[in-house]
Amino acid sequence: MPVFNQSRSRIIRLIFLLVFLVIAGQLFYLQVVSGKFRQMADDNAILKKTIYPPRGIVFDRYRKAIVNNTLTHDLMVTPAQLKGIDTLFLCRLLEIDTAEFRTRVITGIIKNSSQKPSIFEASLSPQKYARIQENLWRFQKAFYVQERPIRSYPFEAGANIFGYLGEVDTNYLKKHDDEGYVSGDYAGMTGLEASYEKALMGERGVQYLIKDNFSRIQGSYEGGAMDMEAVAGSNLYTSLDIELQELGEKLMTNKVGSIVAIDPRTGGIIAMVSSPTYNPGYLTGPERRRHFNELYRDARLPLLNRAVNASYAPGSTFKTLQALVGLAEGVINTRTTFSCGGAFYGCGSAKPMGCLDPGTYYLSSGITHSCNTYFANVMQRVINNPKYPSIDSSLRAWNNYMSAFGLGHRLGVDVPSERKGMIPTPEFFNKQYGSGKWGFCTFRSVSIGQGEVTATPIQVANEMAYIANKGWYYIPHVVDSIEGGDKFGLLEKYREKIRPINLADSIFEVVHQGMLGVMESGTGRGSRVEGINICGKTGTVENYYRGVKQPNHSFFAAFAPRENPRIAIMCVVENSGRFGGTYAAPIVSLMIQQYINDSIDNRWKPRMESIIKTNLIPKMMVDKMRQQDSIRKAKEEEKGLKTELKNISDTLQTEDNLSEAEARVSMKKDGKPAKDTSKQKPSPKDMILPDSSKKKMAMGRDTAKTDINQ
């Protein structure tokens, strides 16, 4: 072979060798160094399916399941796989339009990128689930159905205690970025579901499924070797008595307010009623969003847990604490008397504070008959006590007592959104009136639980537990124990007995005697229960809204039995317009009977039925509800009118199309061209609507104007 040909042959071989090395290097890079294309291949061939664990079950004190689980089905979408999907057919199955389809897809991309699955429709209804399952093979390239546990409620009670679950948003993911949540997960948003989320959530599992070239599921990937099982959440054991909770919610039907009952021996919450309330099942399932919107707009605020998130002037229930402070400070003793001629005149005749029951009282009888004058004198002596160098220091000492009793700060209950209430401080009055420009007569109404002092229902119930225990309490809590142990230290603070100050038992005995007298011969005698020694205190609370006087709140707080207290309880009925003994006291007595005797005395049952049927929704709320109903009906009528007009338009358009088609057929028959009716304007005669439609259009215009004006 000539030398020239040999040289050319080497060059060609080198070129082939170089091309081979480049191809081999590129393959090595793609398959070994870079995982991008392998990941894309895996995404096309393998479906990574999240397995959600069942959340922990919640039990009441008698081991009845009060929050359980059931299964729902979410339709999941991977937006990157949507090419070639018959979206119109899917929209018909889901009863949505194409605009809604696009919105959901875009939302999924924003939340979780186009390559990862996200929820397209949560909690499919049984009808939609059946339709989707039957036709899922048509959409399996981009869609699949995923099982997810949701909450079920054997008892229609306790909604504000349990709270609800919601899909995590970007803010939640940022706040809990190290806890493994991803878009599409559900977490506790309120109530116990939120407070004990770490214990209840469990651990998610993963299942890998292999798909064929048509994206149809063929089975487990590698025989399930890579799958991870889900771990169920821990069960919660609570102090709640679900039957007592149900009774409380019935008694508060068509009323606004709260009932809180605590076991003073443990701090365990036995019942926590917030009224109005709602069926806890409303915020699960396919109708969850609609129900939430309805509850959120409700003028009665059923989503507000008034037991921890509403604060009231405690009224005369506060006098029990004033008695403790007066005795502890030594400014009175058990035999100290004050006379009342119908009002307290200690701040001058120009500022009398009325008293309903004139007479001369010592401490116990002052509590029994709720004498305003007695407790105004007690607090005046505390504030003007010469052992303190200034009024600032004496008020601060009084403030410290109230803080020790659990007022003016959050107790730390395990139901979220607790408010602090208000106990006035020197700083508060200095800001309001200026330093040195205020004294006892500035805030004398605080002495009887009015004015600047406020407390939440949970604080008032805890105050009763403190008095029942003669000087100590546990922080109120719903959950007693967690299955498998308290791994996250959620219950530690509820194990500590709190004894903030040392007061002699004899001091509490005097207060107990006065509270027992309330039920025997005082303001609560109408709610006395045969066979149970109840120590109680009524309260009739004045209140204002934007400076306008509203009907009085009805307050009652108690513990029972006196000898070995098993329940500390309070009730507030907002704007009842009556005394504490009229509504709140009998409600508390019924609750005490049910809890201690496990039944209601037959003599009380007619009264119980009467209370249940009594409607005390405040007029201000009723007016707002009527206004909202009027606006809602106007919008529904406007929507109905638009639908009817659209149907008429569609009908007229169909008739025009039919006329045009008939003309074309006629042209074919006689050979003459037909007029193009599609471009002709309708005659005035054609534009006239039936009388009924004209009326509805006029109503619609009026409705729209009304809506805008409102």
Side-chain angles (χ1 to χ4, degrees):
M1 179 182 292
V3 175
F4 175 77
N5 288 339
Q6 287 179 358
S7 176
R8 188 170 62 178
S9 175
R10 289 194 193 98
I11 292 171
I12 292 170
R13 288 175 183 173
L14 286 172
I15 290 172
F16 273 103
L17 179 62
L18 183 62
V19 169
F20 174 79
L21 290 173
V22 170
I23 293 172
Q26 185 68 12
L27 287 172
F28 178 81
Y29 173 77
L30 292 175
Q31 295 184 28
V32 179
V33 178
S34 173
K36 176 182 177 183
F37 290 95
R38 184 174 68 182
Q39 183 63 47
M40 291 174 64
D42 286 347
D43 288 343
N44 286 325
I46 301 171
L47 173 65
K48 182 182 177 182
K49 191 173 181 180
T50 301
I51 307 299
Y52 289 98
R55 288 176 73 86
I57 300 170
V58 182
F59 295 91
D60 83 342
R61 69 192 301 117
Y62 301 112
R63 296 301 187 262
K64 294 176 185 174
I66 52 179
V67 181
N68 216 323
N69 296 301
T70 187
L71 283 178
T72 191
H73 298 88
D74 296 337
L75 183 62
M76 309 295 292
V77 62
T78 306
Q81 302 292 331
L82 280 171
K83 188 176 181 181
I85 294 294
D86 187 349
T87 56
L88 288 175
F89 183 55
L90 180 63
C91 287
R92 285 199 296 272
L93 293 179
L94 293 174
E95 301 172 0
I96 61 174
D97 55 26
T98 53
E100 176 66 16
F101 180 93
R102 287 193 294 271
T103 299
R104 293 184 184 185
V105 170
I106 292 169
T107 301
I109 293 172
I110 293 171
K111 283 184 176 181
N112 215 20
S113 84
S114 63
Q115 301 293 333
K116 295 179 180 179
S118 58
I119 296 176
F120 187 80
E121 182 162 334
S123 295
L124 293 167
S125 67
Q127 296 80 10
K128 287 185 181 181
Y129 175 66
R131 292 198 296 267
I132 289 294
Q133 280 293 87
E134 185 179 354
N135 295 278
L136 191 59
W137 60 273
R138 301 173 186 268
F139 316 110
Q140 273 192 335
K141 185 177 180 182
F143 291 89
Y144 68 91
V145 173
Q146 178 167 278
E147 288 185 345
R148 176 171 57 84
I150 60 170
R151 288 310 208 180
S152 64
Y153 302 91
F155 301 88
E156 294 181 2
N160 290 103
I161 305 173
F162 307 141
Y164 57 84
L165 304 179
E167 186 178 355
V168 299
D169 57 16
T170 52
N171 290 330
Y172 192 96
L173 292 174
K174 288 177 183 176
K175 189 176 180 181
H176 303 269
D177 60 348
D178 59 343
E179 296 177 27
Y181 291 99
V182 296
S183 181
D185 284 354
Y186 279 72
M189 296 295 160
T190 60
L192 296 182
E193 297 282 13
S195 297
Y196 293 92
E197 169 68 14
K198 288 182 178 180
L200 289 168
M201 66 179 290
E203 297 178 17
R204 291 180 294 276
V206 178
Q207 184 181 19
Y208 293 91
L209 302 171
I210 193 165
K211 301 183 288 186
D212 64 11
N213 56 334
F214 295 104
S215 292
R216 293 174 298 199
I217 303 299
Q218 299 299 303
S220 296
Y221 178 66
E222 294 189 359
M226 298 177 63
D227 294 352
M228 292 177 59
E229 289 189 8
V231 179
S234 301
N235 297 333
L236 304 183
Y237 297 95
T238 73
S239 52
L240 290 171
D241 182 335
I242 194 62
E243 292 185 5
L244 191 69
Q245 179 75 22
E246 286 183 311
L247 174 63
E249 293 187 11
K250 282 183 182 178
L251 292 169
M252 293 296 288
T253 301
N254 285 325
K255 300 168 190 67
V256 179
S258 179
I259 305 171
V260 179
I262 298 172
D263 184 340
R265 301 167 298 182
T266 65
I269 294 171
I270 306 165
M272 180 186 280
V273 176
S274 178
S275 182
T277 186
Y278 60 95
N279 183 336
Y282 278 5
L283 297 185
T284 62
E287 297 297 314
R288 176 188 179 279
R289 182 176 295 178
R290 180 173 69 84
H291 287 154
F292 183 85
N293 289 335
E294 290 173 357
L295 293 170
Y296 183 78
R297 292 195 298 264
D298 194 322
R300 297 168 299 176
L301 306 179
L303 292 174
L304 174 68
N305 187 350
R306 289 173 166 85
V308 297
N309 198 241
S311 59
Y312 310 86
S316 293
T317 61
F318 195 64
K319 293 172 182 175
T320 55
L321 300 183
Q322 296 284 37
L324 292 177
V325 176
L327 290 169
E329 284 291 286
V331 296
I332 61 169
N333 58 46
T334 59
R335 304 307 302 173
T336 300
T337 61
F338 294 105
S339 295
C340 172
F344 170 68
Y345 294 101
C347 291
S349 59
K351 296 181 179 180
M353 188 164 63
C355 192
L356 293 176
D357 200 356
T360 299
Y361 300 100
Y362 53 90
L363 183 58
S364 289
S365 60
I367 293 172
T368 295
H369 296 281
S370 199
C371 177
N372 288 347
T373 297
Y374 192 97
F375 293 97
N377 275 293
V378 171
M379 188 173 185
Q380 187 174 40
R381 288 191 177 188
V382 170
I383 297 302
N384 295 334
N385 192 339
K387 80 173 185 179
Y388 295 106
S390 67
I391 191 170
D392 285 47
S393 57
S394 62
L395 179 62
R396 199 177 306 282
W398 176 87
N399 191 283
N400 290 338
Y401 279 107
M402 294 302 161
S403 179
F405 300 151
L407 302 182
H409 59 87
R410 296 180 184 89
L411 289 169
V413 61
D414 54 356
V415 178
S417 303
E418 183 187 2
R419 294 182 70 176
K420 296 190 297 184
M422 170 69 178
I423 295 294
T425 62
E427 290 76 16
F428 174 83
F429 288 124
N430 286 338
K431 186 176 180 181
Q432 289 286 106
Y433 303 105
S435 181
K437 297 180 180 180
W438 53 272
F440 168 74
C441 291
T442 310
F443 57 87
R444 70 192 191 286
S445 57
V446 167
S447 63
I448 59 170
Q450 295 280 175
E452 292 81 1
V453 62
T454 64
T456 62
I458 190 71
Q459 288 174 329
V460 177
N462 185 66
E463 165 196 327
M464 290 296 106
Y466 174 82
I467 294 172
N469 291 331
K470 299 179 182 177
W472 58 269
Y473 67 90
Y474 289 102
I475 296 174
H477 56 278
V478 176
V479 176
D480 282 338
S481 63
I482 302 173
E483 184 181 43
D486 184 17
K487 301 173 185 176
F488 303 101
L490 301 174
L491 302 178
E492 289 177 2
K493 64 181 179 180
Y494 305 121
R495 303 285 183 255
E496 181 186 354
K497 181 185 287 189
I498 298 174
R499 188 183 290 274
I501 51 178
N502 290 317
L503 298 177
D505 284 2
S506 58
I507 289 177
F508 291 97
E509 284 293 342
V510 176
V511 175
H512 287 196
Q513 188 61 41
M515 294 175 70
L516 184 65
V518 169
M519 306 304 291
E520 298 292 336
S521 60
T523 53
R525 60 188 177 276
S527 296
R528 182 174 178 271
V529 177
E530 197 70 36
I532 304 176
N533 286 332
I534 299 174
C535 294
K537 186 70 195 75
T538 56
T540 304
V541 181
E542 292 185 354
N543 68 101
Y544 294 80
Y545 179 73
R546 295 180 179 175
V548 179
K549 177 76 168 65
Q550 302 297 316
N552 293 334
H553 298 327
S554 179
F555 250 76
F556 188 73
F559 64 88
R562 179 186 180 183
E563 300 76 19
N564 181 26
R566 293 170 53 196
I567 182 171
I569 184 170
M570 72 79 60
C571 173
V572 53
V573 182
E574 291 186 25
N575 302 118
S576 73
R578 302 296 294 166
F579 300 109
T582 308
Y583 294 113
I587 287 173
V588 165
S589 291
L590 285 162
M591 296 284 284
I592 289 173
Q593 285 182 66
Q594 178 61 42
Y595 183 67
I596 292 179
N597 295 338
D598 203 27
S599 63
I600 302 293
D601 190 312
N602 287 331
R603 292 170 291 183
W604 274 79
K605 287 185 178 178
R607 193 172 182 186
M608 179 178 73
E609 293 302 321
S610 175
I611 290 172
I612 292 171
K613 292 175 182 176
T614 300
N615 189 332
L616 296 173
I617 297 294
K619 182 181 181 299
M620 187 169 57
M621 279 189 181
V622 173
D623 291 343
K624 192 170 182 180
M625 288 163 62
R626 285 174 179 163
Q627 183 183 19
Q628 288 179 341
D629 285 344
S630 177
I631 294 171
R632 179 178 52 80
K633 286 177 182 177
K635 288 181 178 179
E636 287 176 356
E637 288 177 2
E638 184 178 4
K639 185 177 178 182
L641 177 62
K642 288 180 179 178
T643 302
E644 182 170 345
L645 291 175
K646 184 178 183 300
N647 291 337
I648 292 170
S649 175
D650 292 343
T651 301
L652 292 174
Q653 185 178 358
T654 303
E655 289 174 353
D656 289 343
N657 291 340
L658 287 172
S659 299
E660 184 179 350
E662 289 171 356
R664 288 175 179 170
V665 171
S666 176
M667 179 186 68
K668 288 182 180 179
K669 286 183 178 179
D670 57 20
K672 295 179 181 180
K675 293 181 180 179
D676 187 359
T677 58
S678 65
K679 295 182 181 179
Q680 291 181 348
K681 293 182 179 180
S683 68
K685 182 180 179 181
D686 295 331
M687 295 175 67
I688 297 173
L689 296 173
D691 289 342
S692 61
S693 297
K694 288 193 289 185
K695 288 179 182 177
K696 287 182 178 178
M697 287 182 69
M699 288 172 61
R701 287 194 294 271
D702 293 342
T703 300
K705 289 177 183 176
T706 302
D707 195 20
I708 291 169
N709 291 335
Q710 290 175 343

